[in-house]
Amino acid sequence: ELWMSLEEHQDALELIMSKYRKQMLQLLQGRKGEDAEPVLKVHQANSLEIASQIDRICEMGEVMRKAVQVDDDRFFKVQEKLAQLELENKELRELLSISKESFEVGREDLPDY
């Protein structure tokens, strides 16, 4: 009789606890939906802001890449022009040297007075 009473008591306790767990689960799920909504909105807003910042960073990177390319192109053009001018200068110096030598030879051929 004591065993039967104990089993009935345990069954009743299990029933009460299962109803309690069910109500607590429903309560928590209801609160989670309510609590999660503002957090979700903030998270979405932050995600959009981060995405826009990433887009701006990518745009700035592209602008910098183009600026570097333009700078490199200018540098190579200046280097090419400098090499051209150095070659021209060398050739003009050679012509000047030949001209001086020719002038000096012509001078030596003239009689002294």
Side-chain angles (χ1 to χ4, degrees):
E1 202 175 289
L2 189 56
W3 277 108
M4 294 284 276
S5 176
L6 182 60
E7 284 179 9
E8 286 177 7
H9 182 64
Q10 285 179 342
D11 289 341
L13 192 54
E14 280 182 33
L15 180 63
I16 292 170
M17 289 305 295
S18 72
K19 286 184 179 183
Y20 171 76
R21 286 186 195 113
K22 184 178 177 182
Q23 287 178 350
M24 288 303 294
L25 183 61
Q26 288 173 349
L27 181 64
L28 288 175
Q29 286 177 344
R31 281 190 182 170
K32 280 184 183 178
E34 292 172 6
D35 293 343
E37 191 173 321
V39 173
L40 184 60
K41 286 181 182 177
V42 169
H43 177 69
Q44 287 172 340
N46 287 342
S47 295
L48 291 174
E49 185 177 337
I50 289 170
S52 71
Q53 288 176 353
I54 288 171
D55 289 342
R56 285 195 328 225
I57 289 169
C58 289
E59 288 173 7
M60 287 188 289
E62 187 62 33
V63 167
M64 285 187 243
R65 199 173 295 116
K66 286 179 182 177
V68 168
Q69 183 65 38
V70 167
D71 193 41
D72 285 347
D73 291 345
R74 285 184 185 164
F75 175 76
F76 291 129
K77 285 179 183 177
V78 167
Q79 288 292 98
E80 184 180 345
K81 188 68 173 176
L82 182 61
Q84 232 176 8
L85 290 173
E86 286 175 347
L87 180 63
E88 185 179 334
N89 188 358
K90 182 180 175 184
E91 290 173 354
L92 288 173
R93 286 184 186 272
E94 286 176 8
L95 288 173
L96 181 63
S97 173
I98 291 170
S99 176
K100 280 184 180 179
E101 287 175 11
S102 170
F103 181 71
E104 288 175 6
V105 169
R107 216 171 178 197
E108 289 175 1
D109 290 342
L110 290 176
D112 289 335
Y113 290 106

